[in-house]
Amino acid sequence: MPDEAATGGVVPVPAADALSGPAPGPGVPRAVGRFLRRRPLGALGVAVALAMLAASLGPPEPRFGLPNLPDRPLGFQMGRPFLARYGPEDFFRDDSGRLARFQPPSGRHWLGTDDKGRDVWARLVWGTRRSLFFALWALVLATVGGTAVGLASAYFLGWVDMLVQRLMDGLQSFPPLLVLMLVVTLTEPSLRVLAFALAVVALPSVQRVVRSVVLAVREEPYVLAARALGASHLRTMLRHVLPNVMAPVLTVFSVGLGSAVLAEAAISFVDPSTVPQSASWGIMLAEGRAYMFEHPHVVLAAGGAIAGAVLAFNLAGDALRDVLDPRLRVL
Amino acid sequence: MRGGVLRLPGYEAAVLDTLDPHQTQFGPIYSSHSAVFSKVLRYEDPLQGVIAPDLAERMPEVIGDPPLEYVVRLRPGVRFQRPGAVLGRSPSREEQALGGRELTAEDVKYSFERQMNERSPRWPFYYRAYQYKVIDSIQVVDRYTLRIRTREPVAPFLHYLADTNAFIVARELVDAGDEMNRQEAMIGTGPFIWDRLEVLQQSRFVRNPDWFGWDRPELQRPYLDGYTSIFAFEDAVIEAAFREKRVDVALYQANPQWVVRLRQENPELQAVDVGLAAWVNARLRTDRPPFNDFRVRKAVHLATDRQQIIDAVWQGYGRMHGPVSPLVHWALPEEELSSLPGYRTGRRQREEDVAEARRLYEAAGRPAIEVTFSNIPPGLASYAPQYQRQLQQALGGQVEVRVVSQNDISEGHRQGTIAFSFAYDNGWIDLDDWLYPYFHSRGTKNTFGLRDPQLDSLLEAQRREFDRDRRRELGWQVQRYLLDRVLARLDMASPVELWVAWPYYRGFRPLVFFGTSYFLVDAWLDSGHPSFRGRPSGG
């Protein structure tokens, strides 16, 4: 039995080709059914995350380019989200021609309007795209980078490990929010840059989890056997070590999404001028705060969205960890 | 304790450009200067244009018809401050250099000539040089007397001596690079001593016990022991501080509703609604595409919904703004302004303006437009996407916005790299300051690339006209010309501030213009007033 502390609480699982053959699964529908019954909160988290994804999507438009946030997260322009009836900056006027500010919820404006006569629901949905894809971008970068660094560091050990870990210690010694504020202050307002900065800040946490798992797995007999049979370092790492790392990495990824959503909201809230002024939950919160006593619906909507998203990602992450951890597996 | 230490929210603790009194453009900084430094004359009532002596013993003797010479007689015995002695600190190098010496006519001469010196390495930063370039010669007659001769008759010359930035500084405080951008150099002859500047936190001032007291030294003003400007721009922070009496006066930043509610809850509060001289404008480069095409400038002018700016940025508490602030009597009559295209608010008239804007824009070839917004105050920056949407809707073209720091805006203006900026400006008292430096070919704030001989002659004509009514009429001509044929600076709107002050704050007077902090000499805190109870002590 490997030392639990060294593995970060995760028991290494041999790669599929090292076993005699895959165990027969219960079937996807049955597994989903069990998941729903036994992990209802996790299922709720996954459902909310999927709902967010659905809310953020819009029809693809034939305009391509380098991926960018918030409207070209996948390399092509996305149109108005399916669930938004208006643009994020569309403003409405009342009968006298003045801005229709602070209108109550109605059939036309499901969550009312804000201080600039804009539809709160529309901004919430547009903000979902920004928050979600920002979080996905940052976490994908952090996870890929952290996994590569942690894998190499623990596999090679020695001076490579020592150097990489001290670098990671250095990175972790800076408060994340401070680093992000510094980056957005020194650069042009850009969510792409901010996502990259967040990835750098989150990378040490991911690599530590990966490293702890790899430290145990690299001593497993099947890894030693692969090396003895002449497998290269790269093949050994990718084929025999990496599969064991995927479960904790997925858990870190899903829980990290919540933190990334919070980070984007925090930066937008603290200094909206340092990020692009598109609809954002953090900006909505910052703007709505000035009127929170007279017109609380704006902060309630934005705050609720932030809290709901973070809770959903955390619940989903917890459930994922339970499902993927063999010792906690109950499915 | 005399009159106590007044605490007020403000931007005085922010330094956006420089501490140099002659080189800063940032209103809150020269508000601080106005408490520390004196001028030859001062405004007693800026809205009515009432000027009174400051360092001068009496109003200058005006010689010639039309006037070409001014004899200024200074008060004897006016001494530079001694912050070390008053604050119990060891004196700085600058204070030692001054040694609390008497202010003389040489200091006035130096302060004026400093801003006329085109060989200075800081010459581009003397934004108010246009006021001093009219001077032909300054003769020091004796220790307290100057004879100033202008090149030609200049109607606003007394205003120049009284303007919000016309500070008299000592030569000893200016370094070899012609700068005095140091806290230690902030030593003047004004009613308050600048004790401490904690950037983005607070700026503290204490009473200058040696202040000369204008015409009534026996009053021993300032009554206050000092005042502290606390850096605060969040409504929630200001409201909480005011309710707890950690500040004695307050005004809204983005949400006026808490002030309205506070007034309803506490009818005894002192309440004043008054416009602010600072205003929002857009500056367009008229010498390069796309704004060298008058049709594009006019299209933006007509497409801009000024009422929407007032509603979105100040929640309806604002006034539309022509080339001159509606606060001062030089402005175009409000009924005339509100009937002009771009300023009309009727639904049908707005539709006409927008239709004309689109027609002009399309005739000009639908060029792409980029608007650069200042990031301060936050309420203006947050309006940027909505302005973008509004222009997009009205013009049907490509409009981009970006938000940058105020410093970047100033630098961009200086280097000509910003084609279309959208930002606050400070606001001025005299007609000349609203127009001449911006629109004259040689104007120090002409960042538009504007060269218009006809406009130049109109601007020069208003300078030569000493009759106030006729000068105002000339000012209206200039404003009409600007709106009909220039449209380089698109003046948008200015806020109406809702002030509240606790009743114990005596002599409360809202500061409408930057650079008028010397009004605080008449303020004091009445510790015997019932409302004073519960006010936390400390500076």
Side-chain angles (χ1 to χ4, degrees):
Chain A
M1 193 73 184
D3 177 18
E4 191 171 314
T7 62
V10 178
V11 176
V13 178
D17 68 343
L19 297 173
S20 55
V28 173
R30 275 184 66 195
V32 171
R34 277 191 186 181
F35 182 66
L36 285 174
R37 279 199 308 278
R38 296 186 176 174
R39 304 278 170 209
L41 286 177
L44 180 67
V46 171
V48 171
L50 290 175
M52 282 180 63
L53 186 65
S56 67
L57 294 178
E61 294 177 357
R63 274 184 287 170
F64 298 89
L66 280 176
N68 203 355
L69 293 170
D71 289 331
R72 208 167 54 213
L74 303 174
F76 59 86
Q77 195 83 11
M78 267 199 280
R80 174 185 300 163
F82 294 118
L83 291 182
R85 302 162 73 192
Y86 313 112
E89 299 301 332
D90 284 352
F91 48 86
F92 298 87
R93 297 180 188 278
D94 59 20
D95 295 338
S96 65
R98 302 279 289 268
L99 282 180
R101 298 182 297 115
F102 300 122
Q103 297 285 305
S106 64
R108 192 178 183 204
H109 305 295
W110 295 345
L111 291 179
T113 60
D114 67 3
D115 61 313
K116 295 183 173 61
R118 298 169 299 193
D119 186 273
V120 174
W121 169 254
R123 288 179 63 74
L124 207 62
V125 173
W126 283 91
T128 305
R129 174 183 292 177
R130 171 167 162 149
S131 294
L132 186 68
F133 280 104
F134 172 83
L136 284 171
W137 265 48
L139 261 295
V140 165
L141 286 172
T143 306
V144 170
T147 302
V149 170
L151 189 61
S153 178
Y155 183 83
F156 290 111
L157 288 177
W159 66 269
V160 174
D161 186 50
M162 200 276 290
L163 199 68
V164 168
Q165 293 314 307
R166 297 300 77 77
L167 185 66
M168 294 298 127
D169 289 344
L171 274 178
Q172 280 196 308
S173 64
F174 293 100
L177 195 60
L178 197 67
V179 174
L180 296 181
M181 290 299 293
L182 191 68
V183 168
V184 296
T185 306
L186 294 178
T187 59
E188 284 267 307
S190 160
L191 283 179
R192 189 159 53 180
V193 173
L194 190 59
F196 183 76
L198 184 61
V200 172
V201 168
L203 189 144
S205 305
V206 178
Q207 75 84 29
R208 281 205 197 290
V209 172
V210 172
R211 178 176 176 274
S212 65
V213 179
V214 175
L215 281 176
V217 173
R218 71 188 297 277
E219 306 299 338
E220 288 295 312
Y222 60 89
V223 176
L224 298 174
R227 290 289 300 134
L229 287 171
S232 67
H233 288 311
L234 190 64
R235 179 179 168 82
T236 308
M237 280 195 286
L238 296 181
R239 187 78 177 158
H240 302 290
V241 180
L242 187 61
N244 286 287
V245 174
M246 295 316 293
V249 163
L250 281 176
T251 306
V252 170
F253 180 84
S254 60
V255 173
L257 283 175
S259 303
V261 167
L262 269 182
E264 191 277 326
I267 291 285
S268 303
F269 178 84
V270 171
D271 190 355
S273 67
T274 56
V275 288
Q277 298 277 306
S278 59
S280 153
W281 295 345
I283 290 177
M284 288 176 73
L285 207 55
E287 291 179 356
R289 183 182 44 160
Y291 312 94
M292 62 187 290
F293 294 114
E294 297 89 358
H295 308 285
H297 63 284
V298 180
V299 282
L300 286 178
I306 295 168
V310 174
L311 185 65
F313 288 131
N314 284 346
L315 290 174
D318 285 349
L320 201 62
R321 184 199 60 208
D322 295 349
V323 169
L324 295 174
D325 188 333
R327 291 168 307 163
L328 301 174
R329 188 176 289 162
V330 290
L331 279 173
Chain B
M1 177 171 145
R2 290 165 51 87
V5 176
L6 178 74
R7 296 183 295 238
L8 60 161
Y11 284 80
E12 276 85 347
V15 184
L16 289 194
D17 47 12
T18 169
L19 282 175
D20 193 308
H22 294 154
Q23 296 175 12
T24 182
Q25 285 199 91
F26 187 49
I29 282 296
Y30 66 77
S31 280
S32 298
H33 292 137
S34 68
V36 175
F37 295 93
S38 304
K39 302 172 290 189
V40 172
L41 304 175
R42 69 187 157 92
Y43 268 99
E44 205 164 74
D45 185 344
L47 291 175
Q48 296 303 316
V50 179
I51 293 176
D54 190 354
L55 287 168
E57 203 168 44
R58 53 185 176 269
M59 290 300 286
E61 182 187 348
V62 180
I63 299 170
D65 187 18
L68 274 174
E69 252 183 48
Y70 300 82
V71 178
V72 176
R73 171 80 185 168
L74 300 176
R75 299 175 199 269
V78 174
R79 296 194 164 274
F80 282 97
Q81 297 163 352
R82 296 172 297 117
V86 174
L87 298 165
R89 298 198 289 240
S90 56
S92 65
R93 189 168 45 84
E94 287 79 1
E95 185 180 346
Q96 284 175 345
L98 273 176
R101 71 165 172 80
E102 190 180 29
L103 182 142
T104 68
E106 287 292 348
D107 293 306
V108 177
K109 182 173 192 282
Y110 171 74
S111 297
F112 290 176
E113 288 181 344
R114 184 181 182 223
Q115 298 176 77
M116 298 157 60
N117 179 14
E118 296 189 21
R119 285 171 300 172
S120 164
R122 302 291 294 172
W123 172 245
F125 298 93
Y126 288 117
Y127 299 99
R128 292 166 285 276
Y130 67 93
Q131 296 184 337
Y132 300 97
K133 283 163 97 174
V134 302
I135 296 176
D136 181 49
S137 64
I138 305 172
Q139 180 195 353
V140 175
V141 178
D142 60 38
R143 190 171 172 79
Y144 304 114
T145 310
L146 297 120
R147 185 179 290 268
I148 304 172
R149 187 174 177 81
T150 58
R151 294 179 198 279
E152 56 187 0
V154 181
F157 189 72
L158 291 181
H159 155 74
Y160 295 164
L161 302 182
D163 198 11
T164 48
N165 311 85
F167 304 114
I168 306 305
V169 304
R171 181 193 297 267
E172 295 93 319
L173 300 175
V174 179
D175 63 24
D178 195 23
E179 285 193 84
M180 47 187 296
N181 184 20
R182 310 177 309 283
Q183 170 72 47
E184 297 76 24
M186 299 298 108
I187 301 175
T189 54
F192 292 93
I193 292 171
W194 203 336
D195 173 10
R196 191 179 306 160
L197 170 63
E198 296 169 23
V199 175
L200 300 186
Q201 291 185 48
Q202 60 177 352
S203 207
R204 297 162 64 109
F205 302 82
V206 298
R207 176 176 183 271
N208 175 13
D210 304 323
W211 184 55
F212 56 89
W214 294 329
D215 295 328
R216 302 196 61 190
E218 73 279 7
L219 294 178
Q220 296 189 12
R221 293 178 292 182
Y223 302 126
L224 288 170
D225 294 296
Y227 74 92
T228 302
S229 170
I230 298 165
F231 185 69
F233 56 88
E234 291 281 352
D235 282 303
V237 172
I238 297 173
E239 180 183 0
F242 183 77
R243 284 181 181 275
E244 293 170 13
K245 299 176 186 170
R246 284 185 285 117
V247 293
D248 306 302
V249 60
L251 68 170
Y252 80 90
Q253 297 295 308
N255 172 21
Q257 293 175 15
W258 68 266
V259 181
V260 174
R261 195 176 59 235
L262 202 64
R263 288 174 173 181
Q264 289 166 350
E265 291 171 10
N266 304 279
E268 79 278 15
L269 290 176
Q270 301 180 73
V272 181
D273 296 354
V274 64
L276 203 62
W279 88 111
V280 171
N281 65 46
R283 292 194 190 194
L284 309 175
R285 286 292 309 197
T286 64
D287 57 348
R288 62 188 64 164
F291 301 110
N292 57 346
D293 187 333
F294 180 72
R295 293 171 300 183
V296 182
R297 302 204 297 274
K298 187 161 187 181
V300 173
H301 166 66
L302 293 177
T304 298
D305 186 341
R306 289 168 170 80
Q307 185 60 51
Q308 189 193 71
I309 296 173
I310 292 170
D311 289 345
V313 180
W314 305 300
Q315 304 305 306
Y317 288 90
R319 295 170 80 176
M320 288 197 201
H321 206 292
V324 176
S325 168
L327 284 176
V328 294
H329 61 91
W330 305 108
L332 270 182
E334 208 148 359
E335 56 274 20
E336 179 180 343
L337 188 72
S338 60
S339 68
L340 296 175
Y343 290 93
R344 305 183 298 179
T345 54
R347 177 167 275 188
R348 192 177 54 78
Q349 293 166 321
R350 265 308 294 161
E351 286 169 1
E352 286 172 9
D353 287 350
V354 170
E356 175 66 2
R358 184 173 282 225
R359 189 191 67 74
L360 289 166
Y361 180 68
E362 286 175 353
R366 298 166 50 85
I369 290 173
E370 184 187 70
V371 194
T372 305
F373 270 75
S374 166
N375 67 346
I376 56 164
L380 188 66
S382 71
Y383 175 67
Q386 192 163 18
Y387 186 61
Q388 175 186 25
R389 187 81 188 110
Q390 198 226 315
L391 284 189
Q392 282 171 341
Q393 280 184 349
L395 300 176
Q398 186 191 345
V399 180
E400 299 293 334
V401 294
R402 64 187 182 122
V403 179
V404 302
S405 72
Q406 183 65 37
N407 262 355
D408 287 345
I409 295 256
S410 301
E411 199 56 31
H413 284 156
R414 200 163 25 248
Q415 296 182 357
T417 53
I418 293 180
F420 182 169
S421 68
F422 200 105
Y424 261 98
D425 202 342
N426 293 324
W428 319 108
I429 298 174
D430 189 82
L431 174 70
D432 193 61
D433 299 318
W434 283 99
L435 304 175
Y436 189 94
Y438 291 94
F439 303 114
H440 194 279
S441 300
R442 295 191 305 276
T444 50
K445 298 176 187 171
N446 182 351
T447 58
F448 316 105
L450 195 60
R451 303 282 180 271
D452 185 331
Q454 195 177 341
L455 183 57
D456 286 353
S457 63
L458 276 172
L459 290 165
E460 286 158 12
Q462 63 80 25
R463 274 188 162 187
R464 287 193 297 267
E465 180 54 66
F466 281 76
D467 181 89
R468 187 164 144 143
D469 290 336
R470 283 204 296 271
R471 186 163 174 243
R472 184 190 298 132
E473 184 57 50
L474 280 169
W476 290 351
Q477 278 185 40
V478 177
Q479 292 172 67
R480 290 178 189 126
Y481 185 90
L482 289 169
L483 290 168
D484 284 345
R485 302 170 65 173
V486 180
L487 293 176
R489 191 185 74 196
L490 306 184
D491 302 289
M492 304 297 181
S494 57
V496 170
E497 286 295 355
L498 311 187
W499 294 77
V500 278
W502 287 105
Y504 62 75
Y505 176 4
R506 304 291 193 179
F508 163 57
R509 185 174 179 181
L511 302 179
V512 174
F513 294 87
F514 293 118
T516 52
S517 297
Y518 56 83
F519 287 150
L520 291 175
V521 298
D522 291 318
W524 54 289
L525 305 180
D526 182 358
S527 58
H529 194 279
S531 65
F532 193 80
R533 208 170 305 125
R535 182 183 186 270
S537 58

